[in-house]
Amino acid sequence: MSLYDENADVLRAMAAAGDKLGQPRPMDFNHLFPTRDGAIAFARRTDAEGLTPVVRPYDKPGFPFDVTVTTQAVIPTCAFITATEQRLAAIAAEYGGLPDGWGCMEP
């Protein structure tokens, strides 16, 4: 199953649960890092691109740092989510990180 298809499944489940997906909202994209330096470098890079990163400790063995990158309010679509995930995953990989999913709350 492709990343696009996985995202479509999640959005369908959200809609089935009553989420009004046509409403803009901030979206969070999580990334895990094995080093603090990598997490901070990724956060600085995404901040420079106009996103809002937050670095936090995380308890996963080998990946003790989480960076949550939040977008401005957008309407969650498969195309936007997939493109953003792929772009951020590529940047995170430059600093030793890996993606760990996305989420958003209904406004």
Side-chain angles (χ1 to χ4, degrees):
M1 176 180 288
S2 73
L3 182 59
Y4 185 93
D5 292 334
E6 289 177 22
N7 289 330
D9 285 348
V10 171
L11 290 174
R12 277 193 288 277
M14 289 169 66
D19 191 319
K20 295 170 182 60
L21 294 172
Q23 296 178 343
R25 79 273 317 269
M27 297 194 67
D28 296 330
F29 295 86
N30 297 304
H31 298 81
L32 303 179
F33 291 84
T35 68
R36 182 176 182 277
D37 289 344
I40 290 172
F42 174 73
R44 286 184 178 145
R45 174 108 174 254
T46 57
D47 181 61
E49 292 190 14
L51 301 169
T52 306
V54 175
V55 179
R56 294 185 184 97
Y58 194 68
D59 63 358
K60 183 172 182 168
F63 292 91
F65 298 95
D66 171 78
V67 180
T68 300
V69 177
T70 304
T71 66
Q72 297 294 323
V74 296
I75 294 176
T77 65
C78 288
F80 172 79
I81 294 166
T82 302
T84 302
E85 277 191 297
Q86 290 172 333
R87 181 172 57 89
L88 292 174
I91 296 168
E94 293 177 26
Y95 303 103
L98 52 91
D100 192 41
W102 59 270
C104 60
M105 300 296 290
E106 184 173 15

